[in-house]
Amino acid sequence: MYNIAVIPGDGTGPEVVREGLKVLRAVSEKFGFEYELTEYDFGGDRYLRTGDILPKEALEELRHYDAIYLGAIGHPDCPPGLLEKGILLTIRFELDLYINLRPVKLYPGVDCPLKDKGPEDIDFVVVRENTEDLYVGAGGVYKKGTPDEIAIQESINTRKGVERCVRYAFNVARERNKQNKVTLCAKTNVLTYAHDLWERVFYEVAEEYEDITADYAHVDATCMWMVKNPEWFDVIVTTNMFGDIITDLGAMIQGGMGIAAGGNINPDGVSMFEPIGGSAPKYKNQNVINPIAAIASCQLMLDHLDEKEAAQAVEKAIIHVVSEKMKSMDAGKMGYGTDEVGDLIVGAI
Ligand code: IPM
Ligand code: MN
């Protein structure tokens, strides 16, 4: 019996979450497990109505679930960053969801903008550190609004934080058992304090994994290789900021934001699963947004809950539907409505 908190959130979040939950129901019936859902209405509408962003008690409650399933956060009528920081980043930080796991996998039949690259070339996982770096909000602004303004935004990197992330990445590579390789993506030629720490810790941890090759690529080169030779990658481990950037590129080479899923993971606590695209407010309530990313996030959640068979069934259904049925991964061009895509997945399961 799993207790799952659901945060549909803003924009198209509720629509894609609805389809993800349909799929969850289907696999629970097929594979015989039970769950209970508790919905939380955090997001822009609640903020505009009540002024609440993420009440402290709710944050405490969230710790006690088996998983959290999130749609999207971000509302055009709210100040930029307010909800993102106040909800999404607060949950990541306070619940110590220190891994952001973002698979980049191109499925057969899905359009890829890379010439001459196919599903056999694009299958890797980005392990993004999720609680440190520039995201901590350390720094300050002085003499704001004057010609002498100074803005400082500090990248915080702790040995413990780096080490647990790097170790997680090596374990992912071992579990995947594909190329058995982890690539550290950093910028050691410029960030000679912070990324020197990353590099030293990376090679230290690598010594414990003799079966896994430790590889290094600067972040700019990583972007180049992700386009030119994505087949070189198996597991990429990287900082919070670089991970944010390269996973949008990753989403594009796997077919777009409509298909890219992610997990915010605390291996010793509760974890949260979300499609990595935003709330796409312009598509809200039009039944045109692609729910596959949310359904794939549900698959990651099932895998994390150790419902391996159910997770595999969802992935098989996704592969069937994206390769045999859907015309495109882009909103409005799928050949089906949001709800119909969910129904197709359920049918395939
Ligand atoms: C993501 C998003 C968030 C991030 C934003 C919304 C704060 O871009 O999950 O990648 O930067 O981590
Ligand atoms: Mn991002």
Side-chain angles (χ1 to χ4, degrees), residues 155-158 162 187-201:
S155 165
I156 306 293
N157 299 260
T158 69
V162 173
K187 188 75 183 172
T188 54
N189 53 347
V190 175
L191 305 180
T192 48
Y193 310 126
H195 290 195
D196 177 59
L197 172 65
W198 272 86
E199 191 180 33
R200 278 181 289 120
V201 170

Side-chain angles (χ1 to χ4, degrees), residues 205-219:
V205 172
E207 298 221 335
E208 297 167 30
Y209 295 82
E210 281 173 8
D211 50 326
I212 310 288
T213 306
D215 183 27
Y216 176 83
H218 290 318
V219 63

Side-chain angles (χ1 to χ4, degrees), residues 23-39:
V23 171
L24 181 64
R25 190 185 328 121
V27 284
S28 75
E29 283 163 8
K30 177 156 181 165
F31 296 97
F33 63 87
E34 284 177 51
Y35 61 91
E36 203 173 288
L37 303 175
T38 308
E39 194 171 310

Side-chain angles (χ1 to χ4, degrees), residues 2-255:
Y2 303 110
N3 284 307
I4 300 173
V6 180
I7 309 174
D10 297 315
T12 53
E15 290 164 68
V16 297
V17 157
R18 198 176 304 135
E19 301 313 309
L21 294 177
K22 248 189 214 171
V23 171
L24 181 64
R25 190 185 328 121
V27 284
S28 75
E29 283 163 8
K30 177 156 181 165
F31 296 97
F33 63 87
E34 284 177 51
Y35 61 91
E36 203 173 288
L37 303 175
T38 308
E39 194 171 310
Y40 291 88
D41 64 349
F42 309 132
D45 291 334
R46 173 162 171 173
Y47 169 71
L48 294 169
R49 209 173 56 240
T50 67
D52 279 352
I53 299 179
L54 177 65
K56 248 205 137 39
E57 318 78 70
L59 185 63
E60 286 314 307
E61 274 174 49
L62 288 178
R63 289 183 199 280
H64 303 292
Y65 289 94
D66 296 302
I68 305 168
Y69 187 47
L70 172 76
I73 296 294
H75 194 295
D77 302 335
C78 298
L82 181 80
L83 303 172
E84 291 86 340
K85 267 189 157 172
I87 301 174
L88 184 61
L89 298 183
T90 301
I91 295 176
R92 287 180 184 168
F93 278 71
E94 293 297 319
L95 303 186
D96 204 21
L97 312 180
Y98 64 83
I99 298 297
N100 198 326
L101 190 69
R102 297 187 161 182
V104 178
K105 190 168 179 180
L106 177 65
Y107 289 126
V110 172
D111 265 347
C112 170
L114 304 184
K115 186 165 156 278
D116 301 333
K117 297 293 174 189
E120 60 291 352
D121 303 305
I122 300 175
D123 180 4
F124 60 93
V125 175
V126 178
V127 175
R128 166 186 174 189
E129 201 289 323
N130 211 28
T131 53
E132 300 195 339
D133 194 12
L134 288 161
Y135 278 73
V136 166
V141 60
Y142 308 100
K143 303 186 182 177
K144 189 169 180 171
T146 74
D148 297 322
E149 180 163 348
I150 301 169
I152 297 173
Q153 191 99 39
E154 290 163 318
S155 165
I156 306 293
N157 299 260
T158 69
R159 174 168 267 275
K160 278 185 192 158
V162 173
E163 190 177 329
R164 65 186 183 174
C165 178
V166 165
R167 183 162 281 120
Y168 190 91
F170 276 92
N171 288 333
V172 170
R174 195 174 260 174
E175 209 176 294
R176 277 168 64 80
N177 196 19
K178 294 209 159 123
Q179 296 183 46
N180 292 303
K181 177 163 92 177
V182 181
T183 304
L184 170 63
C185 162
K187 188 75 183 172
T188 54
N189 53 347
V190 175
L191 305 180
T192 48
Y193 310 126
H195 290 195
D196 177 59
L197 172 65
W198 272 86
E199 191 180 33
R200 278 181 289 120
V201 170
F202 179 72
Y203 285 109
E204 255 171 58
V205 172
E207 298 221 335
E208 297 167 30
Y209 295 82
E210 281 173 8
D211 50 326
I212 310 288
T213 306
D215 183 27
Y216 176 83
H218 290 318
V219 63
D220 44 355
T222 302
C223 291
M224 175 175 72
W225 300 129
M226 277 172 70
V227 171
K228 201 167 183 293
N229 294 98
E231 68 280 6
W232 287 358
F233 295 116
D234 180 15
V235 175
I236 297 178
V237 64
T238 192
T239 63
N240 205 346
M241 188 77 256
F242 289 174
D244 178 47
I245 298 165
I246 70 167
T247 54
D248 267 31
L249 177 55
M252 288 305 121
I253 66 170
Q254 75 180 123

